[in-house]
């Protein structure tokens, strides 16, 4: 077990993201809940993870599945009670699992009492908690667009003002220029630290320094000043792990957020690698350009070595299932899921596994009416308005829609996959008959045991945490191979990204090396479809 009183304990940790609405239902309403998470802690302990990143469980109208919070100090009733949450923290702790809560500090729900008061009365002490501009009802302050469609400004006739919302009208942006608002957030964070939470994932943290008048959303001039204040005032303990979500980050910006002195955050989630297959936008997905992906990882691995810290991930609740996106979710599902895991977990950083990734869950295809996500419905409307055919728009949604990752966790081959006794809020993937936790646990060659092994290897060999990174054969379009090394150890990771045989990659130093992990028996010779090998030598 990791010593979590050590400042940088999270550098040796592996985290697991739980999306509560889809993890495990216990009260038969078709919606996952906190008692459900508690009931699965033994499973997560078996996997070997050190912490859970819990997507929002706060009180919320659920317009954006909890990323629209109406009370930061309360629990969404269908998920359970505060007592359930306290029990989860305690039960997880008993198993050496730290709970990291999701914090949405950029915006609240439009149903938060602060916003209700702010929009009812210009003289309310909460008015200035949000971003308002005067103006005529037919003339928004500028033409900025919201991420989930439509203008980024909405008008409130009762007070004759516009409010700013980067995401949807139900998610008004908080005004970080207001010190009283910031103080409320810091106090709220301390409320959760006092309950025993071990850290936070900070939703769209790169947005908090926005200057809408200058059309600046990400990386505003005061962004890092705010984050440093947040660190000083709210994240006082060195041992808290803090992960900022920053779609706009490049390597230089990441060094600011995660500099080793610890004045800001432990690490960030950056998404450059997840965007290499975007065409015009994410809905216009192209085949994976492997050379570009390799170049991207190399830049991040070498760029942050000793000067920051990477997070390592291929999935989350906003992204498609990786085995469908970059692997083969049919014939070579098991092989390619393991290959992608090896590629990711061999690098330097802190790995995050998204629920279901560890059993190789796949994307889903639904009729448009069965999707729940507001982003999907907006993309559909906008695609048709642009003149695209429904078929073409649906292809984009099948490839990249966020509900791919949000279908219920597949525990068994039974009705509703053992997720719930009732019809779930989002359809279960029909392939749960084959892909499910029960089957994975019964099969020693399953994707589950491969993840379990990768987690154990990271704990055992310092090279995973400390080693330098060297990319081999950068121009090879089919195989991703790299070496990690310290003065004492060397690790080779070789991954065939195709369903065809590829020439062997094995530098002389690794001839006869120990095989730490592999997804085929008897690794050696040409690489088989989606083959992955992890070789190790003492240097
Ligand atoms: O996501 C940030 C974000 O920008 C997403 O909208 C992302 O760009 C999109 O999914 C990719 O197309 C965070 C949360 O992870 C997401 O679930 C929330 O909807 C969003 O913030 C708003 O809080």
């Amino acid at each position: 077990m990791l010593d979590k009183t050590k400042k940088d304990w999270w550098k040796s940790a592996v985290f697991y993201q739980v999306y509560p609405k889809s993890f495990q239902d216990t009260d038969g309403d078709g919606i996952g809940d906190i008692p459900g998470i508690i009931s699965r802690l033994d499973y997560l302990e078996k996997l070997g993870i050190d912490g859970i990143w819990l997507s929002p469980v706060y009180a919320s109208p659920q317009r954006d599945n909890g990323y629209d919070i109406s009370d930061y100090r309360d629990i969404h009733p269908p998920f359970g009670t505060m007592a359930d949450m306290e029990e989860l923290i305690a039960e997880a702790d008993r198993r050496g699992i730290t709970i990291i809560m999701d914090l949405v500090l950029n915006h609240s729900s439009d149903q938060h009492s602060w916003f209700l008061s702010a929009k009812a009365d210009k003289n309310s002490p909460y008015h200035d908690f949000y971003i308002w501009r005067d103006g005529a009802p037919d003339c928004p302050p500028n033409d900025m667009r919201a991420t989930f469609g439509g203008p980024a400004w909405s008008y409130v006739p009762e007070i004759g003002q516009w409010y700013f919302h980067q995401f949807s009208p139900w998610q008004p942006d908080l005004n970080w220029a207001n010190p009283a608002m910031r103080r409320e957030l810091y106090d709220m964070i301390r409320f959760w630290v006092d309950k025993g939470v071990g850290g936070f994932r900070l939703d769209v943290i790169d947005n908090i320094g926005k200057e809408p008048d200058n059309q600046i959303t990400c990386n505003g001039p005061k962004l890092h000043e705010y984050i440093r204040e947040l660190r000083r005032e709210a994240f006082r303990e060195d041992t808290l792990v803090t992960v900022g979500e920053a779609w706009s980050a490049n390597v230089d910006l990441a060094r600011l957020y995660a500099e080793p002195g610890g004045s800001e955050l432990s690490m960030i989630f950056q998404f450059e690698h997840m965007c290499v297959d975007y065409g015009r936008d994410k809905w216009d997905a192209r085949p994976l350009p492997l050379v570009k992906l390799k170049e991207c990882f190399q830049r991040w691995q070498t760029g942050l070595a000793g000067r920051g810290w990477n997070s390592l991930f291929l999935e989350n609740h906003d992204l498609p299932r990786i085995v469908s996106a970059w692997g083969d979710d049919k014939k070579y599902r098991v092989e390619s899921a393991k290959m992608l895991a090896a590629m990711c977990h061999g690098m330097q950083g802190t790995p995050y596994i998204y629920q279901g990734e560890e059993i190789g869950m796949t994307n889903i295809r639904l009729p448009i009416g069965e999707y729940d996500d507001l982003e999907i419905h907006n993309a559909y409307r906008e695609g048709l308005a642009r003149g695209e055919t429904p078929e073409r728009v649906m292809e984009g949604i099948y490839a990249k829609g966020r509900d791919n990752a949000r279908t219920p966790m597949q525990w068994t081959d039974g009705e509703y996959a053992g997720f719930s006794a009732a019809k779930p809020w989002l359809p279960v993937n029909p392939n749960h008959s084959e892909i499910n936790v029960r089957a994975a646990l019964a099969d020693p060659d399953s994707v589950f045991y491969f993840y379990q092994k990768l987690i154990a290897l990271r704990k055992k060999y310092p090279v995973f945490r400390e080693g330098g990174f060297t990319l081999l054969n950068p121009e090879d379009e089919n195989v991703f191979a790299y070496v990690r090394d310290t003065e004492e150890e060397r690790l080779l990771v070789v991954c065939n990204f195709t369903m065809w045989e590829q020439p062997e990659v094995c530098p002389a130093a690794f001839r006869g090396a120990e095989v730490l992990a592999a997804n085929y028996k008897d690794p050696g010779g040409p690489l088989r479809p989606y083959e992955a090998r992890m070789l190790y030598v003492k240097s």
Side-chain angles (χ1 to χ4, degrees), residues 64 67 104 107 147-148 167 171 201 203-204 245 247 278 282 317-318 375 402 406:
D64 188 19
Y67 288 90
V104 188
H107 47 267
T147 305
F148 298 141
F167 290 91
Q171 293 163 298
R201 176 263 188 189
D203 192 63
V204 292
E245 186 202 25
W247 281 78
Y278 287 15
K282 83 165 184 178
H317 64 292
D318 294 332
E375 187 184 60
R402 304 196 297 181
R406 299 177 181 184

Side-chain angles (χ1 to χ4, degrees), residues 127-304:
H127 188 70
D128 197 31
F129 273 39
Y130 297 88
I131 299 170
W132 299 96
R133 297 291 176 264
D134 292 329
D138 52 355
C139 184
N142 59 35
D143 58 6
M144 289 173 81
R145 308 287 298 169
T147 305
F148 298 141
W153 298 93
S154 289
Y155 191 67
V156 178
E158 291 75 14
I159 56 169
Q161 286 189 312
W162 295 85
Y163 68 92
F164 180 77
H165 50 81
Q166 180 56 55
F167 290 91
S168 76
W170 309 288
Q171 293 163 298
D173 278 47
L174 288 162
N175 178 20
W176 274 74
N178 177 356
M181 191 290 293
R182 302 203 301 272
R183 173 52 49 204
E184 285 278 355
L185 292 182
Y186 304 154
D187 289 348
M188 175 275 290
I189 293 170
R190 295 310 299 175
F191 166 87
W192 287 106
V193 173
D194 291 344
K195 286 208 181 288
V197 161
F200 301 93
R201 176 263 188 189
L202 307 165
D203 192 63
V204 292
I205 200 65
D206 50 351
N207 278 246
I208 63 171
K210 74 192 72 75
E211 288 190 346
D213 299 320
N214 299 324
Q215 311 239 2
I216 295 174
T217 50
C218 297
N219 302 312
K222 290 195 149 184
L223 170 63
H224 292 277
E225 182 183 321
Y226 292 147
I227 297 177
R228 285 195 288 269
E229 184 181 276
L230 188 57
R231 168 74 172 85
R232 282 195 310 273
E233 300 289 323
F235 305 144
R236 292 185 214 132
E237 295 80 357
D238 275 345
T239 48
L240 286 174
V241 41
T242 50
V243 195
E245 186 202 25
W247 281 78
S248 64
N250 58 28
V251 172
D252 287 332
L253 292 171
R255 286 186 189 139
L256 272 180
Y257 288 107
E259 58 91 15
S263 63
E264 296 195 8
L265 306 173
S266 312
M267 66 193 113
I268 59 161
F269 289 126
Q270 61 83 19
F271 295 83
E272 225 189 299
H273 60 294
M274 297 314 307
C275 302
V276 292
D277 60 358
Y278 287 15
R280 178 196 67 235
D281 58 24
K282 83 165 184 178
W283 307 107
D284 180 30
R286 305 289 164 85
L288 175 68
L290 188 66
V291 169
K292 200 166 151 194
L293 181 74
K294 291 173 5 174
E295 182 279 326
C296 176
F297 275 126
Q298 176 188 38
R299 203 153 24 76
W300 281 90
Q301 286 289 295
T302 54
L304 291 194

Side-chain angles (χ1 to χ4, degrees), residues 505-521:
V505 179
C506 189
F510 290 95
R511 299 260 166 233
E514 180 186 349
V515 179
L516 289 190
N519 59 353
Y520 280 85
K521 298 223 166 8

Side-chain angles (χ1 to χ4, degrees), residues 3-63:
D3 177 1
K4 293 183 178 170
T5 62
K6 279 225 186 93
K7 185 163 154 274
D8 288 351
W9 67 269
W10 37 266
K11 288 190 176 173
S12 308
V14 178
F15 290 95
Y16 183 95
Q17 182 188 355
V18 169
Y19 196 67
K21 200 169 178 182
S22 301
F23 194 60
Q24 176 69 66
D25 177 24
T26 56
D27 61 1
D29 60 0
I31 296 174
D33 46 45
I34 295 171
I37 304 171
I38 297 171
S39 75
R40 296 297 184 179
L41 285 172
D42 289 338
Y43 167 74
L44 296 177
E45 186 181 19
K46 185 177 169 84
L47 182 58
I49 52 119
D50 306 287
I52 292 174
W53 152 23
L54 184 60
S55 276
V57 292
Y58 312 93
S60 160
Q62 302 281 319
R63 288 285 195 156

